């Protein structure tokens, strides 16, 4: 057993193997294991699996209150001779791998990100270089305000008083904005500030106080807000109200507006990836729009514990999932978000999902369609060549053939609409709302 102190997301597989070899020089180590938050031993053999381990550890163990990790990450060298040997060789609690704190996601940076997100500015956050594995690494650089604007901000600052139900006013019979798999979303008023917010209420399977604590902690890290609380085994999550609602209501959307929407979604995704978070649930109903023409992503990097505690329907959550993600034995990475973006853009452009509608009704046909069925292309007569190409590339079954995450913004389709013209989108949203279709 090795204790890794100061774990960094820049740790590579070789760093860890090297550290183990330092203490066990005469043993050939071919892998190592760690225990995930469900208590299972997970074997790590690659940089990508190392990055997944670090991310899972940071998510589950960063304690926002104390700004530190609740316990060390423990890894177990994997080697046949060790497995057969004495337990004193296998278990070495005295061994520590000293890893320098990197300028990426350390406790300090997580706090910086949280503060920056809640204040609406990222000036205080240093450039971050998150290494998600060889195929998934990104450029560095301070995310700019446009990127920031493309993901959902919490309405309350990190040091605000904890939110509770008695601070909010709403009428469940008239103020419902929409419903998802897990529950309902209401328009509410925050009494003391007279701010209108969106309040998502998710019914949970019975959760223990410990699980509730973990959900709140994961949401705090992932979403950088303090507007989440529990009441009667339901979780309440307050976010900024987007007065245009979600984009699933607008389909089909013409290319000039959809192109500019795609640019904002890409900015949001690139920002999330740059801080080491995969969205994991890209779909039109998780893209919210307002009448100033701004699009924001919500429900990103959903808390694992929250997923475990809610009953999500299969097709609702899986129709946008990439083949490699459905087939999890292969592992998946951020290119998986690009597949979901391709499905979403196709659907918003045409008004229909790229797979036959009958396949969406049950798990087996849906799985078969995504993994091996025919994928429809956008009609070239209705859309530009660059848009058809972008969507086709995103819908490639081989992740490496999708547009490269780092250069996404340079793709001819995204570049063509990256003119900051939110006015076009704003006019469109207002027009659709007035015509009763928004
Ligand atoms: N911040 C918000 N502002 C305005 N409307 C919102 C907001 N958040 C959610 N909604 C509306 O509520 C609906 C339900 O949202 P919710 O996130 O619960 O589910 P979903 O994304 O549609 O589905 P799923 O549960 O599968 O993720 C959305 O489709 C959207 O129309």
């Amino acid at each position: 057993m090795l204790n890794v102190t100061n774990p960094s997301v820049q740790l590579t597989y070789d760093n860890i193997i090297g550290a183990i070899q330092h203490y066990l020089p005469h043993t050939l180590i071919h892998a190592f294991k760690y225990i995930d938050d469900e208590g299972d031993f997970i074997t790590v053999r690659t940089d990508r699996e190392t990055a997944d381990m670090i991310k899972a550890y940071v998510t589950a163990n960063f304690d926002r209150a104390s700004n530190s990790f609740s316990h060390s990450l423990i890894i177990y060298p994997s080697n046949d001779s060790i497995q057969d040997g004495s337990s004193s060789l296998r278990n070495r609690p005295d061994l520590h791998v000293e890893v320098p704190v990197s300028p990426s996601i350390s406790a300090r940076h997580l706090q910086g990100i949280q503060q920056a997100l809640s204040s609406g500015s990222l000036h205080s956050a240093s450039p971050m270089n998150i290494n998600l594995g060889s195929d998934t690494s990104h450029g560095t650089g301070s995310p700019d305000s446009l990127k920031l604007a493309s993901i959902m901000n919490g309405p309350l600052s990190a040091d605000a008083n904890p939110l509770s139900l008695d601070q909010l006013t709403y009428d469940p019979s008239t103020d419902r904005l929409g419903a998802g798999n897990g529950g309902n979303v209401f328009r509410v008023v925050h009494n003391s500030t007279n701010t209108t917010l969106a309040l998502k209420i998710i019914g949970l399977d019975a959760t223990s106080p410990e699980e509730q604590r973990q959900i709140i902690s994961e949401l705090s890290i992932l979403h950088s807000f303090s507007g989440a609380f529990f009441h009667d085994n339901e979780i309440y999550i307050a976010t900024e109200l987007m007065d245009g609602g979600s984009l699933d209501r607008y389909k089909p959307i013409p290319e000039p507006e959809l192109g500019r929407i795609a640019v904002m979604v890409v900015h949001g995704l690139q920002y999330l990836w740059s801080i080491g978070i995969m969205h994991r649930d890209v779909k039109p109903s998780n893209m919210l729009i307002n009448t100033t023409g701004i699009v924001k992503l919500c429900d990103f990097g959903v808390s694992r514990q929250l997923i475990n505690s809610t009953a999500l329907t299969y097709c609702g959550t899986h129709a946008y999932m990439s083949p490699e993600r459905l087939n999890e034995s292969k592992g998946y990475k951020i290119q998986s978000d690009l597949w979901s973006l391709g499905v979403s853009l196709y659907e918003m452009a045409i008004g229909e999902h790229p797979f036959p509608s009958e396949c969406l009704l049950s798990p087996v046909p849906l799985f078969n369609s995504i993994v091996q069925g025919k994928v429809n292309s956008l009609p070239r007569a209705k859309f530009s060549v660059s848009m058809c190409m972008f969507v086709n590339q995103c819908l490639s079954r081989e992740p490496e053939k999708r547009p490269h995450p780092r250069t996404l913004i340079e793709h001819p389709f995204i570049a063509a609409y990256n003119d900051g013209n939110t006015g076009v989108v704003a006019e469109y949203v207002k027009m659709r709302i007035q015509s009763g279709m928004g």
Side-chain angles (χ1 to χ4, degrees), residues 178 180-181 185 198 200 239-240 242 246 249 283 285-286 288 299:
N181 268 315
V185 180
K200 183 164 172 168
T239 54
E240 173 186 356
M242 297 292 280
S246 49
R249 300 176 186 173
K283 57 184 179 181
S285 67
N286 282 340
L288 300 170
D299 284 0

